[in-house]
Amino acid sequence: MRKSLFNLLLLMLASTSLMAGGYQVRLQGARQTGMGLTGTALKSGASDIFYNPGSLSFLGKKFELNLGGNAIISKISFRDLESDYTAKTDNPVSPPFFVYGAGKITDKLVMGLGVYTPYGSKTVWPDDWKGRYLIQNIGLRAYYLQPTLSYQLSDKFGIGAGFVYMYGKADIQKALPYNDATANLSGSATAMGFNLGLFFKATDKINLGINYRSKIDVELTEGDATFDIPTSISTILPTNNKFSASLPMPANLDFGVSIQATDKLLLSLELNWVMWGVYDTLTFTFKEKGELLNSKNPRLYSDSFIPRLGIEYNASQKLTLRAGAYYDKTPTNKDYFNPETVSLNTMAFTFGFTYKPTDNLKVDFSFAQLFGQEMERAYTPANFSGKYKSSASIPGLGITYSF
Amino acid sequence: MNRKYFAILSALILIAFAGCQPTIEDFPVSNGNADFTRYVALGNSLTAGYADGALYKSAQANSYPAILARQFAKVGGGAFVQPVVDNEIGLFGNKRILGYATDCKGVTSLSPVLAEGTPVGLPGALAPVGYPVQNLGVPGAKAAHLIFPGYGNPAGLLTQPPSANPYFVRFASSATTSVLADAMAQNPTFFSLWIGNNDVLGYALAGGENNVGESITSMDVFNFAYNTLVETLTSGGAKGVVANIPDITSIPFFNTVPAMGLVLTEEQAAQLNGAYAQVENYIRTVVGIPNFSYGISFKAGVNPFVVEDRNFPYPLPKAFRVRQAKPGELILLTVPQDSLKCAGMGTFSLEKQRPYGIPQNFVLDEEEVQNIKTAVANMNATIKNLADQKGLAFVDVATLLESAKTGLVYDGITFSTTFVTGGIFSLDGVHMNQRGAAIVANAFIEAINKKYGASIPKADITAYPGIVFP
């Protein structure tokens, strides 16, 4: 067992990013990931800080620490629409992680703190690829810090609220049509939001959950824009510039129901409403030479609804097995699909298990396999079109310590 | 389930998926009902791969027919040999690169400058390449030249006017052959023909590559030549593609210096008005033409340049026969910039105290522009008719470049017909750069695919270099 896990770790290091559903990454708990990334109507302990602050109040133990991470090994293939030109990404492994701590203040009041990375993507296209004037490399990462309070209104009803403080950063490289010129943009920003949840034990066997995570606009200001350009162009364009841009982290409204089908079998059903419609235009504003550099880039995303299904089977005292699936319809617009975020209609299958060597310790393993379906997409303002297909393999590990 | 097996299973699944690159079905290539086994390209400098004022190695290697042949190779196309110029400065020199030039006012700016280096030069430039070529593009050639036997005869270079072309002398199979005959000798299965540009522009491009002939080819000659070309090329059953002639206003050589490009302050305008009033007064009183007036007035802001007037109604010395340019008239890229900036060309010579019109050989006046437009329209009608008659693919380069005036976007790059920064044309302002050649090649592929039900992959425009910036 230990050796196998070690092998898995090696594999993670050897390989690469996930971009299902825009640039959202919903890998904030190993149990939930194993169950098709459901969690709104589950009582999962400390990781409820993300999935539903309402159910956090049902924390079984006095204190729980839960940490873990995933290795997103993602691959994207591209083929030009009118030629045999093909390209594939060489994405590094993207490592979203989570750390949660939660403790009981009173029998009914639980306080918790979570740090997690719900948005991000890292896409690296070949240096000479055909789409380099749209995007060469892009890295987005948002770190959320969420102090949370959860309160049990009754035996059946829990509510919770978290305040979110976010730090986000972005790195973007693209080519410019002057010899091998490149534009490099990097910046960071902080922003705030919130996470609200309700949890309701409808019957002994059925739980319901609703969770709302607010939209957060990441406003990059005073970002660094460096232009690696021929000297003759540097008289027109300053090589060191500042820029600002805004990227929305959309709101999520999640509805979940869990059903204890038998003593050993738990079903979890969920629908996520991801309000991607807010991502309309990506606007870059530059401090100098704005008249040449400023751009408004249409994205025209639409809201997406993601149905999810997960099951959990208690094989023994020490071992719990899980599986799940979901279908994530792309929020992107077919005519405004920029290869910076290759988000395709995605079918995903997950599984996982938890091994519980002692009463206080749990080791979780999860694995999600995403199949981005082949889609023909265009970014019409750039007259760039092709077929895209993606896949992502995401092994994850988690450790929970409680007392 | 045993934990060990579960872990092994997990590892296997991970290995199975994580190693896989998602596969997209291949582009469905097809030659349709055309056969690209033996492709020959006929045309002028555009076909030869001439760029930046010279026929040089790298631009030739990426001539539009060479790019086409590379794409044809994916649907059964065979070898495509060009009369290689193994020199980056070119056969005869005169190659331009983008550099810095200091003007008469001492202002240094980005500008096309003569490339340093040694061209092939004479006599090497005329040495026969010694192998048959499939790119039979001959810089300077007009339609009739392609059917003219002896166009590759070295002796013809010395006659007045010359009856041969040095570029064809290099690869003509004999002194008596024609470009067409050399093409037919290869028993082509497919041809491209883009000819006619020089039939119109030859006389306008003074100082350009073409120094043969001064007038627009008559339609009788053009029709006969074009008809002969198409009849002969298709006589063995070959299929092909023909392209038409672009409007001159979409070529930087003619659209870079605006006829309405004289920008004046209020003070300068007043000075010029005063100067012209003095000249007019002189002509009225001293020369003795009562009521003489140029009808010229300058104002603050944008004014038309003053140009030499070949239809001037009064018997005055040439220097005094001037008028303001009219909208639609064109000034050539080769107009001496220093004279324009510092010697008063286009306005008034302070030194000589007399009008200084832009000389006629740098101006296409209303009548010349109209002659060119009429000729282009007529020739394009011939080209289109013959293409339709013979069932050939037809590339509407004229429309392509017309739409490029307002910007054409490919793969995130915006192209236009603007000189240097437009990205399509090379530094001579007439010929495409290599990226522009790829755009043209793709227009050819589109036309061929449409006509012959083929599915030839387009070229990757971004893989070809544009203008190199220092």
Side-chain angles (χ1 to χ4, degrees):
Chain A
M1 165 89 189
R2 196 161 288 167
K3 200 172 175 196
S4 302
L5 279 175
F6 181 69
N7 288 341
L8 290 182
L9 282 168
L10 280 181
L11 274 172
M12 292 170 210
L13 291 170
S15 257
T16 4
S17 137
L18 159 81
M19 280 163 298
Y23 37 85
Q24 191 173 38
V25 183
R26 196 186 257 264
L27 300 161
Q28 273 74 47
R31 182 190 185 205
Q32 295 89 339
T33 301
M35 297 176 72
L37 283 72
T38 64
T40 312
L42 300 177
K43 288 183 289 176
S44 305
S47 58
D48 288 335
I49 288 172
F50 172 80
Y51 277 95
N52 188 348
S55 57
L56 183 67
S57 58
F58 292 84
L59 188 70
K61 304 286 181 101
K62 205 165 176 212
F63 179 81
E64 187 171 300
L65 178 70
N66 176 210
L67 56 94
N70 291 273
I72 303 178
I73 303 157
S74 80
K75 290 168 193 278
I76 303 166
S77 294
F78 170 83
R79 200 208 77 207
D80 187 58
L81 206 56
E82 295 183 301
S83 80
D84 54 348
Y85 177 87
T86 60
K88 53 187 187 182
T89 55
D90 185 19
N91 301 332
V93 176
S94 178
F97 66 88
F98 52 84
V99 181
Y100 306 104
K104 281 192 166 165
I105 310 285
T106 71
D107 260 7
K108 295 189 180 250
L109 183 67
V110 174
M111 195 166 81
L113 181 69
V115 178
Y116 54 91
T117 55
Y119 293 93
S121 77
K122 179 96 185 160
T123 307
V124 176
W125 290 99
D127 283 352
D128 60 350
W129 96 291
K130 199 176 188 290
R132 63 189 181 277
Y133 299 103
L134 288 84
I135 191 71
Q136 178 69 66
N137 306 314
I138 184 166
L140 300 173
R141 174 71 65 215
Y143 301 88
Y144 280 40
L145 176 74
Q146 184 191 322
T148 306
L149 278 176
S150 184
Y151 186 69
Q152 247 186 59
L153 291 173
S154 72
D155 285 357
K156 287 177 179 278
F157 209 64
I159 60 166
F163 165 80
V164 170
Y165 182 78
M166 187 228 71
Y167 169 78
K169 59 179 190 170
D171 283 288
I172 299 168
Q173 276 104 46
K174 58 186 273 189
L176 299 172
Y178 306 107
N179 308 352
D180 298 321
T182 55
N184 309 283
L185 307 179
S186 71
S188 61
T190 58
M192 286 175 280
F194 58 89
N195 186 348
L196 298 177
L198 292 173
F199 184 81
F200 180 56
K201 289 170 85 168
T203 72
D204 269 3
K205 305 204 159 163
I206 298 178
N207 295 333
L208 303 172
I210 298 179
N211 181 234
Y212 179 76
R213 288 186 297 280
S214 71
K215 170 190 154 190
I216 296 181
D217 279 318
V218 183
E219 306 271 358
L220 296 172
T221 52
E222 291 286 305
D224 289 316
T226 56
F227 292 87
D228 191 0
I229 46 182
T231 44
S232 58
I233 305 297
S234 62
T235 56
I236 308 162
L237 285 183
T239 50
N240 289 298
N241 204 336
K242 295 283 180 189
F243 80 100
S244 58
S246 170
L247 194 66
M249 308 285 138
N252 283 244
L253 184 57
D254 300 345
F255 304 92
V257 52
S258 68
I259 302 157
Q260 192 69 50
T262 71
D263 276 359
K264 296 198 160 192
L265 188 68
L266 178 70
L267 296 177
S268 175
L269 295 161
E270 193 160 321
L271 183 70
N272 303 148
W273 177 8
V274 190
M275 301 176 196
W276 279 113
V278 296
Y279 191 24
D280 184 79
T281 309
L282 179 60
T283 303
F284 289 98
T285 311
F286 289 84
K287 199 169 182 177
E288 287 174 66
K289 291 283 175 182
E291 70 278 12
L292 287 175
L293 295 168
N294 291 353
S295 67
K296 287 188 189 301
N297 309 283
R299 294 294 180 263
L300 305 178
Y301 275 36
S302 310
D303 287 4
S304 67
F305 296 89
I306 310 167
R308 300 176 188 276
L309 170 69
I311 56 172
E312 184 176 66
Y313 181 75
N314 271 316
S316 72
Q317 262 323 45
K318 294 197 164 181
L319 186 69
T320 311
L321 306 177
R322 305 186 182 100
Y326 65 88
Y327 181 71
D328 190 353
K329 192 167 173 289
T330 179
T332 56
N333 184 300
K334 72 176 172 53
D335 296 321
Y336 297 96
F337 186 96
N338 189 303
E340 72 196 6
T341 306
V342 179
S343 163
L344 305 168
N345 290 345
T346 298
M347 189 68 222
F349 300 95
T350 70
F351 71 90
F353 63 88
T354 292
Y355 178 64
K356 208 172 161 184
T358 74
D359 234 20
N360 293 340
L361 189 66
K362 286 191 282 191
V363 178
D364 311 305
F365 171 76
S366 66
F367 182 77
Q369 178 61 40
L370 279 54
F371 300 97
Q373 292 163 14
E374 183 174 313
M375 296 182 92
E376 188 181 312
R377 303 267 107 172
Y379 190 64
T380 48
N383 193 8
F384 185 82
S385 53
K387 294 187 172 193
Y388 296 86
K389 198 173 179 182
S390 66
S391 77
S393 304
I394 311 167
L397 278 175
I399 290 171
T400 309
Y401 181 74
S402 56
F403 55 82
Chain B
M1 193 192 295
N2 186 306
R3 293 198 303 269
K4 192 175 161 192
Y5 290 131
F6 196 84
I8 291 168
L9 181 66
S10 309
L12 284 176
I13 291 171
L14 178 58
I15 291 160
F17 288 122
C20 288
Q21 184 72 32
T23 51
I24 300 174
E25 54 165 341
D26 287 341
F27 179 80
V29 293
S30 161
N31 59 323
N33 49 36
D35 175 0
F36 301 98
T37 317
R38 292 180 302 280
Y39 160 54
V40 292
L42 289 86
N44 51 38
S45 48
L46 297 164
T47 299
Y50 194 99
D52 302 314
L55 184 63
Y56 65 93
K57 188 178 181 179
S58 51
Q60 182 189 42
N62 291 325
S63 66
Y64 81 82
I67 298 172
L68 275 181
R70 238 165 259 154
Q71 302 308 110
F72 289 167
K74 297 168 182 179
V75 291
F80 187 80
V81 176
Q82 304 197 98
V84 172
V85 176
D86 194 15
N87 184 310
E88 283 295 338
I89 303 299
L91 277 185
F92 302 106
N94 201 36
K95 181 192 169 185
R96 307 281 152 162
I97 56 168
L98 204 53
Y100 294 95
T102 305
D103 67 11
C104 52
K105 291 182 168 166
V107 178
T108 300
S109 60
L110 201 58
S111 175
V113 297
L114 213 52
E116 281 177 32
T118 313
V120 176
L122 294 171
L126 297 176
V129 295
Y131 46 79
V133 298
Q134 282 80 53
N135 187 339
L136 297 117
V138 179
K142 300 180 180 183
H145 290 143
L146 302 188
I147 62 172
F148 176 61
Y151 195 48
N153 182 357
L157 296 171
L158 303 171
T159 60
Q160 269 316 322
S163 61
N165 183 311
Y167 294 96
F168 186 43
V169 166
R170 292 183 67 226
F171 65 84
S173 62
S174 76
T176 53
T177 191
S178 68
V179 173
L180 181 60
D182 271 10
M184 291 310 291
Q186 311 196 35
N187 191 19
T189 58
F190 196 86
F191 68 89
S192 66
L193 174 66
W194 188 12
I195 195 75
N197 313 59
N198 291 321
D199 290 271
V200 190
L201 301 180
Y203 81 113
L205 291 166
E209 93 224 34
N210 187 307
N211 49 13
V212 192
E214 297 255 309
S215 57
I216 296 175
T217 306
S218 79
M219 282 311 294
D220 286 347
V221 171
F222 182 82
N223 287 344
F224 174 77
Y226 212 92
N227 206 53
T228 305
L229 284 165
V230 170
E231 284 290 346
T232 311
L233 285 165
T234 54
S235 61
K239 288 174 172 151
V241 56
V242 297
N244 67 3
I245 307 164
D247 187 83
I248 54 167
T249 57
S250 50
I251 301 172
F253 193 84
F254 301 100
N255 70 17
T256 302
V257 183
M260 304 286 146
L262 178 63
V263 182
L264 300 172
T265 63
E266 198 152 329
E267 195 190 344
Q268 287 170 323
Q271 276 173 358
L272 281 172
N273 284 329
Y276 271 84
Q278 270 187 8
V279 173
E280 284 168 340
N281 192 40
Y282 173 83
I283 293 170
R284 279 187 221 122
T285 56
V286 180
V287 181
I289 304 175
N291 305 322
F292 175 84
S293 167
Y294 276 114
I296 290 177
S297 83
F298 299 91
K299 58 182 193 331
V302 177
N303 292 267
F305 279 113
V306 173
V307 300
E308 286 182 355
D309 185 0
R310 61 191 169 92
N311 298 315
F312 200 72
Y314 300 100
L316 292 175
K318 197 177 177 217
F320 289 87
R321 298 157 73 106
V322 298
R323 61 176 173 81
Q324 280 180 311
K326 297 171 196 167
E329 293 187 330
L330 303 172
I331 298 171
L332 307 192
L333 185 61
T334 40
V335 67
Q337 288 292 326
D338 281 345
S339 299
L340 220 52
K341 285 176 187 165
C342 299
M345 183 191 276
T347 53
F348 192 85
S349 168
L350 286 174
E351 186 195 345
K352 294 176 179 163
Q353 284 296 309
R354 64 177 199 209
Y356 191 2
I358 297 176
Q360 280 170 31
N361 57 330
F362 297 117
V363 181
L364 290 182
D365 65 29
E366 229 174 7
E367 192 187 335
E368 289 165 332
V369 169
Q370 195 48 53
N371 289 343
I372 290 167
K373 283 188 186 283
T374 306
V376 168
N378 290 337
M379 289 175 187
N380 280 350
T382 296
I383 294 169
K384 179 77 170 76
N385 285 341
L386 278 170
D388 289 347
Q389 249 177 56
K390 292 287 172 186
L392 299 172
F394 171 72
V395 188
D396 192 350
V397 179
T399 302
L400 178 73
L401 286 180
E402 191 63 36
S403 53
K405 282 181 180 176
T406 50
L408 277 179
V409 180
Y410 298 105
D411 301 331
I413 309 171
T414 303
F415 294 93
S416 75
T417 55
T418 307
F419 190 45
V420 182
T421 54
I424 297 175
F425 286 91
S426 69
L427 295 169
D428 58 30
V430 176
H431 302 93
M432 294 89 70
N433 65 41
Q434 294 169 51
R435 203 165 259 189
I439 292 172
V440 167
N442 280 349
F444 274 68
I445 289 171
E446 211 162 272
I448 295 164
N449 283 344
K450 194 173 147 202
K451 189 72 196 180
Y452 297 114
S455 180
I456 304 161
K458 283 192 175 175
D460 175 6
I461 291 169
T462 73
Y464 292 93
I467 283 176
V468 175
F469 288 82

